[in-house]
Amino acid sequence: MKDKLKWFKDAKYGLFIHWGLYAIPGGEWEGRLAPHGTEWLMRNLQVPLADYKKLAERFNPVDFDPYYYVRKAKRWGMKYIVVTAKHHDGFAMYDTKVSDYSVMNTPYGKDIIRQFADACAAEGMTFCVYYSQMQDWEDPNADGNTWDFDPAKKEFKRYFYNKCIPQVKELLTNYGPIGLIWFDTPYEMPKALCQELADVVHECQPACLVNGRVGYGIGDYRQAADNSIPRFARNDAWECPMTLNATWGYSHRDSDFKAPSAVLENLVRVVGKGGNLLLNVGPDEYGKIPEASAQVLDTVGEWLAVNGKSIYNTVSAPDFPYLIPWGEITYNEEETTLFFHIKKYPTRAPYQVHLAGLKNRVEKVTLLADGSEIPFKQSYETARDECRFNIFMPAVCPDADDTVVAVKLDGKVEVQKI
Ligand code: JFZ
């Protein structure tokens, strides 16, 4: 199991792509605004299925280029891509034989998941799929659509065995190696069915990881709540899904994208606690990534090109005895190196950054960006039994977003219990 997770735990940073019919209305329907995620428009505005389905007649993303996405993701420093194969609306973005409700029956008429899978394979990017296993607002027996279908008449198992399982098998049989399958909103699904679903995945592709939202702790790794970073570090594999603005699907209105510094702060905090950040883009109806969101990811990617050693292949950093006022710490255990992410740069000479409780002998301190040595001092206060470690930074801050200092230790990190 541990080897199966190695690529995932080392990857640290992935691209989430929420794309489907909901990109066309982009959060607005006949003058009404979707109150939350635009991908929930149909349910939140209780749009009749017959009306929502007509969007398929307009779906024709003429600007879609899968290689653009994959090459951008590589430039952004992302190591895996998760694409919505079927979201809650039930519309399949691939050539499914299980349902006519798919991209194959649109003016576009081409398999989008196939194109992403081929581009990822060609570019050496790990390809993954999202599948909504419980909610399906097109299916009369699935959870979710109670305005077109009488809840009292729903037979979930009919949907589960006639659509969900067959489609999951299609995705895990017809598109090559799948790094992970991202299930979602298991809600009140019986544990036995969740287990059966995970078993189907592992039978089709033993190496394919199942995310935590298959339910009941059955997944191969844990899933944080959306846009939520756990308070405490964890040593197991986990992932935080995060939006760049306030919606997963494309929005005509919400261009309030996080600044690069905010994305960086989230990435470092998640990685410092041992997790992965799965950061989302919502392509528009033409297949384009909103330019403003791409620019944010470009900037973060440029930082990662210089400082990636402080992110990739790291494990959760230890909890030091005091809260760290100047930033965050990430940790590469194999290289016995701590990485100080200095976001509040010292403003007065001697531009000191302090850490209490580090028991190791520090061998060397360098600025990660250029390898230049940084002076430092270690001491031990006997009376207070406290190890003190100070580094003395250059007067001019090297990177206002996040200056990274590599602290090479004499062995695995040891922290005082104060
Ligand atoms: C779900 C979906 O409903 C949403 O559309 C998007 O795909 C997102 C990634 O996942 O939304 C959730 C699911 C779980 C929580 C919050 C939103 N949660 O656990 O807090």
Side-chain angles (χ1 to χ4, degrees):
M1 176 68 83
K2 281 191 174 45
D3 291 343
K4 178 175 178 179
L5 280 164
K6 186 169 185 343
W7 76 265
F8 179 79
K9 292 192 76 168
D10 287 345
K12 294 300 159 197
Y13 191 31
L15 178 63
F16 213 170
I17 299 175
H18 275 72
W19 194 25
L21 294 182
Y22 41 79
I24 298 172
E28 302 177 38
W29 190 270
E30 296 173 348
R32 294 183 293 156
L33 297 181
H36 306 296
T38 60
E39 72 286 355
W40 273 68
L41 172 137
M42 182 184 166
R43 178 164 179 177
N44 286 337
L45 300 183
Q46 301 219 329
V47 175
L49 178 59
D51 296 346
Y52 184 87
K53 271 189 156 182
K54 288 178 182 154
L55 291 170
E57 298 163 14
R58 295 167 51 189
F59 191 73
N60 191 13
V62 291
D63 297 329
F64 173 58
D65 171 2
Y67 283 89
Y68 172 82
Y69 280 76
V70 178
R71 288 168 184 156
K72 270 291 196 181
K74 287 172 77 172
R75 181 176 153 196
W76 292 339
M78 293 153 161
K79 303 300 183 184
Y80 60 108
I81 294 179
V82 182
V83 184
T84 49
K86 186 207 78 164
H87 204 264
H88 305 331
D89 63 3
F91 182 78
M93 295 287 273
Y94 73 97
D95 183 5
T96 175
K97 305 307 180 196
V98 176
S99 161
D100 293 336
Y101 195 41
S102 84
V103 68
M104 305 313 286
N105 298 307
T106 67
Y108 183 68
K110 289 181 283 184
D111 187 329
I112 283 174
I113 294 299
R114 163 76 59 213
Q115 293 179 74
F116 270 118
D118 292 348
C120 283
E123 296 286 329
M125 173 69 72
T126 299
F127 177 61
C128 311
V129 292
Y130 167 111
Y131 188 87
S132 174
Q133 76 278 21
M134 173 83 170
Q135 294 195 73
D136 185 313
W137 306 330
E138 183 262 346
D139 189 286
N141 291 302
D143 178 87
N145 186 337
T146 54
W147 56 98
D148 287 305
F149 307 115
D150 180 353
K153 295 178 180 169
K154 286 180 181 285
E155 296 175 54
F156 182 76
K157 284 189 175 180
R158 289 173 67 89
Y159 154 74
F160 184 71
Y161 289 113
N162 296 341
K163 184 171 182 181
C164 175
I165 292 288
Q167 287 194 326
V168 168
K169 286 182 174 175
E170 285 180 322
L171 290 165
L172 290 163
T173 306
N174 303 334
Y175 295 92
I178 303 291
L180 64 89
I181 187 161
W182 216 94
F183 292 120
D184 203 4
T185 63
Y187 290 154
E188 302 312 311
M189 205 162 146
K191 182 174 182 179
L193 296 185
C194 299
Q195 185 61 61
E196 190 172 341
L197 187 58
D199 293 346
V200 162
V201 174
H202 293 141
E203 283 153 19
C204 291
Q205 294 201 23
C208 178
L209 300 177
V210 175
N211 79 322
R213 285 193 196 160
V214 68
Y216 300 97
I218 294 168
D220 294 309
Y221 69 89
R222 300 178 73 89
Q223 202 74 62
D226 285 20
N227 292 298
S228 304
I229 299 174
R231 177 179 300 278
F232 303 110
R234 304 183 58 90
N235 291 316
D236 57 4
W238 64 273
E239 180 189 63
C240 170
M242 194 166 278
T243 53
L244 264 179
N245 50 7
T247 174
W248 300 96
Y250 173 76
S251 167
H252 286 305
R253 291 172 178 261
D254 182 354
S255 57
D256 183 20
F257 299 111
K258 293 175 177 70
S261 57
V263 171
L264 256 185
E265 184 165 8
N266 286 319
L267 176 62
V268 170
R269 288 173 73 196
V270 165
V271 167
K273 294 175 186 289
N276 289 17
L277 179 66
L278 184 62
L279 193 55
N280 184 73
V281 293
D284 64 20
E285 63 180 291
Y286 307 104
K288 301 285 284 182
I289 297 173
E291 184 52 35
S293 65
Q295 286 168 3
V296 172
L297 297 175
D298 284 347
T299 304
V300 174
E302 287 158 14
W303 181 90
L304 276 166
V306 173
N307 299 289
K309 275 193 73 173
S310 69
I311 298 293
Y312 306 120
N313 307 311
T314 60
V315 295
S316 63
D319 286 326
F320 283 88
Y322 300 111
L323 291 176
I324 295 169
W326 40 261
E328 302 283 342
I329 293 177
T330 57
Y331 175 46
N332 184 314
E333 190 171 57
E334 285 176 15
E335 297 189 7
T336 63
T337 300
L338 294 172
F339 295 98
F340 286 16
H341 295 262
I342 304 168
K343 300 182 75 71
K344 293 190 179 71
Y345 201 80
T347 53
R348 290 194 305 275
Y351 305 104
Q352 177 179 298
V353 169
H354 172 70
L355 180 70
L358 177 65
K359 293 174 71 173
N360 299 77
R361 181 176 60 78
V362 172
E363 295 181 347
K364 191 176 180 184
V365 178
T366 53
L367 190 65
L368 186 58
D370 62 10
S372 57
E373 292 219 29
I374 305 276
F376 66 92
K377 179 172 180 287
Q378 288 189 273
S379 60
Y380 174 70
E381 285 195 42
T382 310
R384 289 200 307 130
D385 182 26
E386 184 171 282
C387 300
R388 299 176 65 76
F389 172 48
N390 291 303
I391 59 177
F392 304 97
M393 299 300 293
V396 177
C397 173
D399 185 333
D401 278 342
D402 180 346
T403 296
V404 184
V405 170
V407 179
K408 181 71 176 77
L409 307 178
D410 62 350
K412 279 192 177 182
V413 66
E414 292 180 77
V415 179
Q416 278 189 293
K417 299 293 179 208
I418 291 177

